[in-house]
């Protein structure tokens, strides 16, 4: 049985960033992670050492960063929750894109997969139910 890895919100953000960089560039680099997360490179290095010690990334100084299978699995969970929340906040609660992204980034660390799934299901239901009645949805949400 695999031991559950406890991650801080910050470390989850690093995993998510590495996943997105790997998907975009095939590899992640310290510089790219620092830029994506708006942090200093020494902060990235410290986080990478922590993630490596947990077996979530493969990393050696001055080399590319790659997620391990378990690291990728965890990163995908975080990213999926993020995307579900952005969709809900933007399309159901009608927040602007920037605010939806900011809020989703904070909330994604606090909810589990089941809660995210329920939000996704509710979003899908409301999108279908109010497809032809956007004014009604606006009135309900905005008051």
């Amino acid at each position: 049985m695999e031991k559950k890895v406890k991650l801080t919100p910050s470390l989850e953000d690093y995993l998510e960033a590495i996943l997105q960089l790997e998907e975009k560039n095939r590899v992640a680099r310290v510089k790219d992670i620092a830029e994506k997360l708006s942090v200093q490179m020494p902060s990235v290095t410290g986080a990478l050492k922590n993630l490596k010690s947990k077996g979530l990334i493969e990393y050696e100084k001055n080399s590319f960063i790659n997620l391990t299978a378990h690291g990728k699995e965890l990163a995908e969970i975080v990213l999926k929750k993020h995307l579900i929340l952005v969709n809900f906040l933007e399309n159901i609660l009608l927040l602007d894109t920037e605010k939806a992204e900011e809020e989703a980034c904070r909330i994604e660390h606090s909810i589990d997969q089941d809660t995210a799934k329920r939000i996704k299901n509710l979003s899908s239901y409301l999108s279908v139910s109010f497809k032809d009645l956007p004014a009604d949805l606006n009135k309900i949400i905005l008051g």
Side-chain angles (χ1 to χ4, degrees), residues 2 5 7 14-15 18-19 22 28 48 50-60 64-77:
E2 189 171 312
V5 177
L7 297 173
Y14 278 96
L15 285 179
I18 294 166
L19 176 65
E22 280 187 345
L48 294 178
N50 196 339
L51 291 170
K52 181 179 178 179
S53 74
K54 295 177 184 297
L56 301 176
I57 63 167
E58 296 168 355
Y59 168 70
E60 296 299 327
F64 297 123
I65 299 104
N66 296 99
L67 294 166
T68 62
H70 187 53
K72 184 173 183 176
E73 179 184 331
L74 294 177
E76 287 173 342
I77 289 168

Side-chain angles (χ1 to χ4, degrees), residues 7-20:
L7 297 173
T8 64
S10 175
L11 290 178
E12 286 184 352
D13 285 341
Y14 278 96
L15 285 179
E16 187 178 5
I18 294 166
L19 176 65
Q20 291 172 323

Side-chain angles (χ1 to χ4, degrees), residues 85-115:
L85 288 164
V86 168
N87 178 63
F88 178 77
L89 295 168
E90 197 171 5
N91 297 316
I92 303 301
L93 296 187
L94 307 174
L95 299 180
D96 66 68
T97 302
E98 185 176 326
K99 182 161 179 120
E101 283 286 341
E102 290 170 6
E103 294 287 324
C105 196
R106 285 194 291 273
I107 298 168
E108 72 194 26
H109 306 294
S110 302
I111 64 172
D112 64 19
Q113 287 178 275
D114 183 58
T115 303

Side-chain angles (χ1 to χ4, degrees), residues 17-33 36 58 63-67:
I18 294 166
L19 176 65
Q20 291 172 323
L21 289 167
E22 280 187 345
E23 288 175 350
K24 180 182 176 187
N25 306 328
R26 292 185 41 193
V27 295
R29 299 179 304 172
V30 171
K31 178 183 171 190
D32 297 331
I33 296 168
K36 184 164 187 59
E58 296 168 355
S63 69
F64 297 123
I65 299 104
N66 296 99
L67 294 166

